[in-house]
């Protein structure tokens, strides 16, 4: 998990964040375009619109993204935030992930830069004994959660792909997200079914998550604009690791069309040792 060096946020909070991800003791080496009209209020049409959100994003190309992951257990809550951009056509993204302050309110860890590509997560400023100028590469297809939780931010690409298996969808009504009129849908998705329906690039990580989570069913709230583009989605995961951990992961998308450049590190810049606990 990205927080191995995040020390003592009320002691228990640090344990929550560490437990939420898989211990990284690794050797690093077309759907509907919009829901215009009232048809999207029927369960069948609502499900169809939500399932097409990932394709609508791919047609759009790219977007800016903000993420928030809240973890709760034993009355303690920790929130990890991220900000960056995603290219939905190239299936690549970059986030700057901000860890919570320590119990004294002071920053304890520099922001972590994360590069998101199909099948892999790259992290810089990872901590846990990794030199500051080196990157860590993690194969997301080997993570028990498929990087739905481990990176401290659900990959926005995967967050959208999860909706391909939307079911029991209801239309809640119109509202606004960041000043944009959107349609609010609520339902559940199934990680295993999403892995089957996902694009080839995202399939491996979701297949891993389908095996790692104790429950495949994930409740969600999705907010789509008039063009069918996902503006906001909140997934609620239940993760079991030394106790039950409730995780609420929110992704906000905006600034569609903003260019996103992701430059992968050279092989010599990738840390080749073991990550400390």
């Amino acid at each position: 998990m990205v927080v191995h060096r995040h020390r003592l946020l009320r002691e228990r909070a640090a344990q929550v964040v560490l437990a939420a991800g898989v211990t990284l003791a690794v050797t690093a080496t077309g759907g509907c375009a919009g829901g215009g009209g009232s048809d999207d209020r029927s369960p069948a049409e609502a499900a169809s619109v939500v399932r097409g959100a990932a394709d609508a994003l791919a047609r759009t190309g790219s977007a800016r993204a903000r993420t928030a992951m809240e973890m709760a257990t034993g009355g303690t809550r920790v929130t990890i935030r991220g900000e960056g951009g995603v290219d939905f056509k190239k299936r690549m993204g970059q986030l700057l992930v901000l860890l919570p302050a320590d119990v004294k309110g002071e920053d304890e860890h520099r922001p972590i830069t994360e590069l998101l590509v199909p099948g892999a997560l790259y992290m810089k400023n990872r901590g846990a004994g990794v030199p500051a100028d080196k990157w860590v590469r993690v194969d997301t297809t080997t993570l028990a959660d498929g990087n739905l939780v481990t990176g401290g931010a659900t990959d926005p690409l995967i967050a959208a792909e999860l909706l391909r298996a939307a079911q029991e969808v209801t239309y809640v009504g119109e509202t606004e997200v960041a000043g944009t009129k959107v349609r609010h849908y609520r339902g559940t998705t199934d990680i295993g079914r999403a892995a089957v329906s996902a694009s080839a690039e995202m399939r491996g990580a979701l297949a891993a998550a389908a095996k790692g989570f104790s429950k495949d069913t994930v409740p969600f709230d999705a907010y789509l604009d008039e063009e069918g583009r996902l503006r906001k989605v909140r997934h609620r995961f239940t993760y079991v690791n030394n106790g039950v951990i409730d995780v609420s992961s929110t992704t906000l998308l905006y600034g569609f069309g903003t260019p996103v450049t992701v430059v992968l590190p050279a092989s010599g810049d990738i840390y080749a040792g073991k990550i400390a606990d």
Side-chain angles (χ1 to χ4, degrees):
M1 183 69 188
V2 296
V3 288
H4 281 82
R5 292 191 64 196
H6 175 57
R7 306 295 185 194
L8 303 180
L9 177 59
R10 298 195 189 101
E11 288 288 340
R12 182 57 175 160
Q15 297 172 11
V16 173
V17 183
L18 285 168
V22 180
T23 302
L24 295 182
V26 299
T27 299
T29 39
C32 296
S38 59
D39 286 344
D40 58 359
R41 301 186 187 189
S42 72
E45 185 64 21
S48 178
V49 169
V50 172
R51 290 170 188 163
D55 289 331
L57 290 174
R59 290 192 296 270
T60 298
S62 60
R64 299 293 299 166
R66 292 195 186 101
T67 65
M69 181 172 286
E70 182 181 84
M71 303 178 184
T73 187
T76 300
R77 293 181 181 273
V78 174
T79 301
I80 303 172
R81 302 187 184 279
E83 184 167 359
V86 183
D87 189 317
F88 291 97
K89 286 186 177 180
K90 295 180 180 179
R91 308 288 184 182
M92 304 176 76
Q94 179 169 319
L95 294 175
L96 190 66
V97 177
L98 306 176
L99 301 179
D102 66 10
V103 69
K104 298 179 182 179
E106 299 175 353
D107 293 336
E108 188 176 346
H109 197 299
R110 288 190 296 171
I112 298 174
T113 300
E114 296 189 355
L115 305 182
L116 311 168
V117 298
L121 167 66
Y122 294 84
M123 295 180 286
K124 192 173 185 180
N125 292 332
R126 166 66 176 77
V130 180
D133 62 339
K134 294 292 184 180
W135 291 82
V136 171
R137 182 188 184 279
V138 179
D139 183 346
T140 55
T141 65
T142 66
L143 296 176
D145 71 317
N147 197 30
L148 292 177
V149 174
T150 291
T154 301
D155 182 340
L157 290 156
I158 295 179
E161 293 285 344
L162 271 174
L163 297 178
R164 291 189 186 276
Q167 55 195 4
E168 300 177 353
V169 181
T170 59
Y171 172 73
V172 179
E174 290 189 352
T175 184
E176 287 191 358
V177 171
T180 298
K181 186 172 74 172
V182 294
R183 292 179 173 85
H184 178 191
Y185 301 90
R186 180 172 293 151
T188 62
T189 188
D190 182 279
I191 301 175
R193 292 179 181 174
V196 174
S197 303
S199 60
E201 298 89 343
M202 300 292 106
R203 200 168 294 152
L206 282 172
K211 297 177 183 178
F213 278 86
S214 58
K215 295 181 180 179
D216 268 6
T217 301
V218 178
F220 70 81
D221 284 87
Y223 303 79
L224 279 63
D225 63 19
E226 293 183 351
E227 297 180 46
R229 300 177 301 191
L230 189 64
R231 290 279 181 162
K232 178 181 177 181
V233 63
R234 178 182 294 113
H235 293 100
R236 292 176 293 282
F237 305 104
T238 299
Y239 199 84
V240 179
N241 191 332
N242 296 322
V244 177
I245 302 170
D246 294 320
V247 181
S248 177
S249 178
T250 302
T251 299
L252 179 70
L253 300 173
Y254 62 101
F256 292 105
T258 303
V260 176
T261 301
V262 178
V263 179
L264 297 183
S267 58
D269 293 330
I270 298 175
Y271 182 59
K274 288 187 176 181
I275 301 174
D277 289 336

